[in-house]
Amino acid sequence: ALHYHSFVHINRSLIFSKRRDDFRFPNFTMVLLSAMILRTCGLLALAILQTAALNPAPLPRLKIDPAAISISGLSSGADFAAQFQVAYSELLCGSGVFAGQPWNCAVYKFSGEPTYPHCDSRVGGSDNYCHNKITPSPSVPSCFGCPENETMIYDHCKVLPDRVDINKLAEIARAKASAGLIDDLDNLKKSKVYLYRGTHDATYHEGSVQNVGKLLVAMGASESNIKMNSTTPSAHCWPTDGYGTPCGSGVIEDCHYDGPGDCLQHIYGGRYSTSQLASARSNSTCPNLFTGFQCSWFDLLHMDRSVFQ
């Protein structure tokens, strides 16, 4: 089984389509992915780090069950996971969204929402854009439904979840699936999805993460396959059992709750025993926990920039 674990910053924009010519977002400024492969010895974590200082060997051929691939992330990584879950649903058996927003939500203007010029201080227009007209505003560079040269406030789906029109997003998804821009939504029926939001999360307001589940159900996912934890008193973080800062303050917080473990148990349905998972946590059984490998193949910074226009 392969579990992609993503920490992704994409200049505050989201991928929502599987076709290169439908990507409309600039400058992937940082992508840090790690993949956890469940093996007999436990969890082998593969860290993918794009940096000029490292020149590791190419990724070797791995024994991966193609029917047991999942993805998860925190914050913008969770946004990415939620987008990937819908756009490439055929590839995945599930996903974990630790404080994320629904597919296509960040770039869509819902009925009644105000819009502002790109350089308005309320939408965070960049100096390069506003003074030199070099690049689009980094906050919401593409706004579907906005008047020309206008956009929305940043993170409207995170801070104003009541504005989100779930039925409209589901309608858009069905249209894109029919056009072949994303995978068939019927794939979502088999997906196991774990959702998490701490009760003290000030970044993703109450209801924002729940909207991820509501949209998946509206697209055809089974409600029984979606698990939501919204009761742990954490901030905007990975919740752990025995590691990190005190619960409620930090990025990795000791909340006496193994959120990533609960996520994997939900997605993989108990196919791995408690002893296997315990073994995976021990560096003595898997001493080479992190393995770097060459990843220039994934380097979007050197792709034809026209695909992001």
Side-chain angles (χ1 to χ4, degrees), residues 67-250:
I69 299 174
S70 66
I71 184 170
S72 75
L74 166 67
S75 194
S76 55
D79 294 342
F80 181 89
Q83 310 310 299
F84 198 92
Q85 171 68 82
V86 175
Y88 289 94
S89 58
E90 185 177 358
L91 298 178
L92 301 178
C93 68
S95 59
V97 178
F98 287 77
Q101 57 188 304
W103 174 86
N104 201 32
C105 195
V107 296
Y108 191 83
K109 176 189 175 298
F110 299 105
S111 177
E113 284 195 291
T115 60
Y116 307 96
H118 275 282
C119 294
D120 193 296
S121 60
R122 287 167 288 189
V123 298
S126 70
D127 288 339
N128 277 344
Y129 176 81
C130 296
H131 299 301
N132 302 318
K133 306 294 184 183
I134 295 175
T135 60
S137 170
S139 297
V140 188
S142 297
C143 173
F144 295 89
C146 288
E148 187 175 1
N149 297 321
E150 293 194 3
T151 189
M152 305 170 292
I153 62 169
Y154 171 49
D155 282 355
H156 67 140
C157 298
K158 294 159 59 172
V159 300
L160 299 168
D162 291 342
R163 289 185 177 179
V164 176
D165 187 338
I166 297 296
N167 292 330
K168 184 63 179 178
L169 292 178
E171 177 186 326
I172 295 170
R174 286 189 286 271
K176 286 186 175 290
S178 295
L181 297 175
I182 61 176
D183 283 346
D184 193 326
L185 298 182
D186 281 347
N187 296 317
L188 295 173
K189 294 177 181 178
K190 64 176 174 59
S191 297
K192 295 286 190 73
V193 177
Y194 173 90
L195 307 174
Y196 179 85
R197 177 189 176 270
T199 59
H200 299 305
D201 191 333
T203 305
Y204 285 71
H205 292 194
E206 186 173 359
S208 57
V209 183
Q210 286 88 338
N211 280 341
V212 176
K214 290 178 181 178
L215 177 58
L216 289 171
V217 171
M219 291 176 178
S222 171
E223 192 168 358
S224 63
N225 283 341
I226 299 174
K227 180 175 183 177
M228 173 85 196
N229 181 341
S230 58
T231 61
T232 301
S234 76
H236 190 59
C237 77
W238 294 107
T240 74
D241 184 10
Y243 180 83
T245 57
C247 195
S249 60

Side-chain angles (χ1 to χ4, degrees), residues 5-62:
H5 181 63
S6 62
F7 298 85
V8 184
H9 174 71
I10 317 176
N11 250 6
R12 303 178 182 176
S13 302
L14 299 177
I15 296 175
F16 64 90
S17 171
K18 58 186 273 191
R19 273 180 40 178
R20 278 180 37 146
D21 58 2
D22 203 45
F23 291 170
R24 301 173 183 269
F25 310 109
N27 287 17
F28 280 47
T29 56
M30 185 280 284
V31 176
L32 174 60
L33 299 174
S34 69
M36 294 187 293
I37 301 176
L38 295 171
R39 286 185 172 181
T40 304
C41 71
L43 290 174
L44 171 63
L46 296 176
I48 305 172
L49 177 60
Q50 178 180 311
T51 169
L54 297 177
N55 188 27
L59 179 67
R61 181 172 294 277
L62 303 171

Side-chain angles (χ1 to χ4, degrees), residues 266-280:
H266 174 67
I267 293 173
Y268 291 102
R271 74 173 70 188
Y272 301 100
S273 68
T274 302
S275 61
Q276 283 178 306
L277 293 176
S279 174

